[in-house]
Amino acid sequence: MTGTLRAKDAWGVPSTILLLSACVTNSAGADEIRFTEITELAGVEFALEVPDDAWFPNAHFFGGIGLADFDGNGATDIYFTGGGGDHDTLFLNDGTGHFTDASEAWGLEIIDLSCGVGAGDLDNDGWIDIVVASAGDVATQGGSVGNYRLYRNINGTRFENIAQMAGVNTVATGPVQHPTFATPGDFNADGHLDLLYGAWQVEAEGNRLFINNGNGTFTDVTRSMGFHDTLQPARSFSASVTDMDGDLHPDILWVADFNESRYFRNNGDGTFTNICPTNGTCDDTTAMGSAILDLNQDGRLDWLVSAIWYHQEKDDYNGNGLYMQIADHEYINMAAPFGLLDSGWSWSTIAADLDQDGLEEIVIGNGARYPDFIDEPEYIFSQKHLNGLFYNVTSGSGLDLACEATSAGSLDLEGDGDLDLVFICNKGLAHIYRNDTPDAGSWLQVELGGDPENRIPSNGFNSRVEARIGTNVQTRYMDGRPSYGASGPQSLHFGFGDATVIDELTVRWINGEVTVLESVAVNRRITIVPPGKVMTGDLDQNGTVDGSDLTTLLGQWGSCGDADQPCTGDLNEDGQITEQDLATLLDCWSTSP
């Protein structure tokens, strides 16, 4: 059956809105979502210590998580920003969900007021880089200018700070520092990831956009592209670059406090126009986190914004925004009727199919040091009943965390296909939760290749992936998954309930090219490269990474120094064919058109 909801006339939209297709894949039988905290077991020990408000006002805003496979072993690693209490910390995942602190070896020695973090391959060399928003010297009251960091990933072995050389070390130039996010995104669709920076303190003038010149440097285009006057008043918290209407021109969704969010429609001619709130968005008054999802599986991308809700119904704390797209760039806020208005003092938000039934859950990290919000838990909301409504399923889920969880992310810790959770608590510990949902459905993880020369950045940023089973289509968008202070990982996850085969998997690349795979098996990770590109690990270049490639790599095992020894299997170009090359090949094991 098809669910409908009759909208109130005051909303100014058609009275009947399609909520959810009857063809949504049936649940595999999972009645409850289950998590187990494994922080100590995973080897993660991290505490976020920030200055007192008297030294740095609103330091409780801090907290950043970068999720990516930094060392190229096929497993997602975790980067935490230090917030002034310690240097930033990198935990490398060995592939089984166990992490090792590699901060010293990777050159993370600076102790400063670091906050938001973004992950992306900024130089298109195949290695994920890190960009960090910083308020500068921890010894300077109120912060100082000139200490933003851009860490270039050197072949999966260490980071090199090239921010000054790249022209992005000084971003917020005003007298009071309060940066919040640093987000990679290709908003001019030229195949190179640009940078978006936000600051909460208006006087800092830290809301900036930098174009990637493709040569290791960036140019500040905040004024030249017309953003400055619109963004200057915004007390910013997060942003994403997403092609919301599928016209191949990425839009910019900018989340800010005190009713200052922005929705920049890409006009397709190098200019952007802020069209909120006239398009039905930006009526959340205290916006902080952001997530893009296709809520009702109609092929249109929707926008979830996490914010603050006071039960006293204060006018300036009116809760989350759940903006369902009903026409190109036109939305209706469904947070209240769908049960997502109130999730406390909400910082980060994540859309993820935790039980793999074909519908994404919403995870929200929240909490504040004010009486109404102390000890309020982090939340999981599920829409598994297929009627469009979200239900609070936190109780009994095992997610028993109640802290000021400013930043949160989802990742596959141990490579078993389901999504686990990581939280960072202000003036508290980081927490890792393993997904132990019983009888979860089938799954697919999709990683995308890039073709910068044809305007497709590494990891397929700006690409739309659609998975069709029968008449039901799930849509994911590769925007780097930014939220409050957080970014990554650079992969897309689908759940399919009882299904064993995906009828059609379609990638719509930002340059207009389309890749279609048919009869795709589930319960695996696949890599899809743009048309005309050779997939990493496809040693015989037949379009498939399979047993023949594995045989070739194993036959070349060892040193590549001998001229008689072929080196096609040296996938990380370190002069040897080792377990790292094997892991890379297995990570790319998939079918390509």
Side-chain angles (χ1 to χ4, degrees):
M1 60 183 177
T2 300
T4 61
L5 178 138
R6 298 193 176 277
K8 297 179 180 179
D9 293 339
W11 291 348
V13 298
S15 60
T16 302
I17 300 173
L18 181 65
L19 296 188
L20 205 56
S21 168
C23 299
V24 171
T25 309
N26 290 331
S27 168
D31 293 325
E32 294 180 336
I33 292 169
R34 290 276 191 261
F35 282 91
T36 303
E37 180 166 6
I38 60 164
T39 311
E40 184 176 354
L41 181 65
V44 173
E45 184 178 352
F46 178 82
L48 178 64
E49 295 295 335
V50 299
D52 292 333
D53 281 355
W55 185 258
F56 191 95
N58 294 315
H60 62 283
F61 289 0
F62 283 10
I65 301 174
L67 301 173
D69 179 11
F70 295 110
D71 60 355
N73 72 341
T76 301
D77 310 307
I78 305 175
Y79 183 108
F80 292 121
T81 54
D86 202 348
H87 58 69
D88 294 359
T89 302
L90 173 65
F91 288 98
L92 295 181
N93 187 344
D94 67 0
T96 69
H98 186 270
F99 293 83
T100 300
D101 187 342
S103 308
E104 182 177 354
W106 279 63
L108 300 178
E109 301 173 346
I110 298 174
I111 299 178
D112 66 344
L113 297 165
S114 57
C115 34
V117 58
D121 184 3
L122 292 162
D123 53 4
N124 286 318
D125 68 346
W127 298 100
I128 306 298
D129 309 302
I130 280 286
V131 56
V132 180
S134 170
D137 185 3
V138 69
T140 303
Q141 186 170 4
S144 61
V145 301
N147 209 32
Y148 283 62
R149 301 196 297 284
L150 197 170
Y151 283 125
R152 181 170 180 258
N153 187 333
I154 309 299
N155 299 324
T157 61
R158 61 186 176 88
F159 287 128
E160 178 185 358
N161 184 12
I162 62 168
Q164 184 172 2
M165 180 182 68
V168 295
N169 63 309
T170 301
V171 177
T173 57
V176 179
Q177 297 296 300
H178 211 307
T180 47
F181 68 82
T183 298
D186 184 12
F187 56 83
N188 65 344
D190 67 348
H192 302 280
L193 291 180
D194 311 306
L195 291 173
L196 301 86
Y197 293 95
W200 186 84
Q201 189 72 36
V202 172
E203 293 82 356
E205 295 197 12
N207 297 324
R208 303 292 182 96
L209 293 90
F210 285 78
I211 288 287
N212 188 334
N213 299 320
N215 61 2
T217 67
F218 292 77
T219 299
D220 188 342
V221 295
T222 313
R223 291 184 181 273
S224 63
M225 292 188 68
F227 290 106
H228 180 268
D229 291 347
T230 305
L231 283 179
Q232 171 59 16
R235 297 183 181 271
S236 305
F237 276 136
S238 58
S240 62
V241 176
T242 310
D243 178 11
M244 296 300 291
D245 62 348
D247 67 350
L248 306 182
H249 300 296
D251 310 293
I252 299 175
L253 280 60
W254 196 282
V255 177
D257 210 350
F258 299 130
N259 206 30
E260 294 290 348
S261 291
R262 306 286 188 257
Y263 184 115
F264 290 105
R265 182 190 62 208
N266 191 326
N267 300 319
D269 59 1
T271 66
F272 292 79
T273 302
N274 176 35
I275 59 173
C276 75
T278 58
N279 69 336
T281 63
C282 305
D283 65 356
D284 46 89
T285 56
T286 53
M288 294 191 284
S290 176
I292 304 298
L293 70 161
D294 181 7
L295 170 71
N296 54 342
Q297 297 185 355
D298 64 350
R300 297 184 182 275
L301 296 177
D302 310 304
W303 184 23
L304 172 64
V305 176
S306 52
I308 303 170
W309 168 263
Y310 264 109
H311 292 284
Q312 296 92 334
E313 299 187 17
K314 297 182 179 180
D315 292 338
D316 52 351
Y317 296 91
N318 65 352
N320 301 323
L322 181 59
Y323 303 113
M324 189 170 72
Q325 191 169 188
I326 58 176
D328 288 352
H329 298 300
E330 295 183 15
Y331 298 80
I332 177 173
N333 188 356
M334 302 300 291
F338 279 12
L340 276 177
L341 186 65
D342 176 12
S343 55
W345 191 290
S346 306
W347 302 96
S348 284
T349 182
I350 304 165
D353 189 353
L354 301 176
D355 54 4
Q356 296 166 178
D357 66 347
L359 295 168
E360 291 185 281
E361 276 70 47
I362 301 300
V363 180
I364 294 182
N366 84 95
R369 58 195 63 184
Y370 306 112
D372 290 337
F373 302 97
I374 291 176
D375 296 329
E376 185 164 10
E378 323 316 320
Y379 287 114
I380 300 175
F381 294 89
S382 174
Q383 57 167 333
K384 67 187 287 90
H385 296 280
L386 309 183
N387 59 4
L389 301 178
F390 283 85
Y391 298 86
N392 185 348
V393 298
T394 311
S395 177
S397 70
L399 180 60
D400 55 0
L401 182 62
C403 73
E404 199 171 329
T406 49
S407 197
S410 61
L411 72 159
D412 182 2
L413 287 170
E414 64 274 74
D416 62 353
D418 59 20
L419 293 178
D420 313 291
L421 299 174
V422 54
F423 297 89
I424 188 170
C425 298
N426 195 279
K427 290 194 174 182
L429 301 175
H431 296 266
I432 309 293
Y433 283 86
R434 184 183 64 210
N435 192 336
D436 290 330
T437 298
D439 302 319
S442 58
W443 56 274
L444 185 75
Q445 290 186 21
V446 179
E447 295 187 359
L448 301 173
D451 187 2
E453 293 181 356
N454 289 308
R455 300 189 296 109
I456 303 172
S458 290
N459 304 112
F461 269 67
N462 289 342
S463 300
R464 186 184 299 242
V465 180
E466 301 164 354
R468 180 181 65 82
I469 298 178
T471 59
N472 177 58
V473 180
Q474 295 187 50
T475 301
R476 303 285 188 270
Y477 190 87
M478 183 55 202
D479 58 359
R481 300 177 64 189
S483 189
Y484 187 96
S487 180
Q490 295 72 35
S491 61
L492 301 173
H493 174 270
F494 294 84
F496 298 107
D498 294 328
T500 58
V501 176
I502 304 159
D503 294 336
E504 198 170 75
L505 190 67
T506 301
V507 183
R508 303 189 185 279
W509 308 94
I510 191 62
N511 66 354
E513 295 182 309
V514 178
T515 298
V516 180
L517 303 179
E518 297 181 347
S519 300
V520 179
V522 298
N523 295 336
R524 61 186 182 132
R525 300 170 64 185
I526 70 170
T527 300
I528 305 174
V529 297
K533 298 294 289 184
V534 176
M535 185 186 304
T536 299
D538 185 10
L539 304 184
D540 55 11
Q541 298 187 19
N542 69 347
T544 302
V545 180
D546 55 16
S548 65
D549 302 299
L550 177 61
T551 300
T552 298
L553 184 144
L554 294 176
Q556 301 174 6
W557 198 265
S559 174
C560 288
D562 190 338
D564 295 330
Q565 171 70 11
C567 283
T568 57
D570 184 14
L571 300 179
N572 64 354
E573 299 181 353
D574 65 351
Q576 298 186 35
I577 299 175
T578 65
E579 289 84 357
Q580 284 194 342
D581 302 301
L582 176 60
T584 299
L585 185 142
L586 295 177
D587 187 44
C588 296
W589 196 277
S590 67
T591 300
S592 180

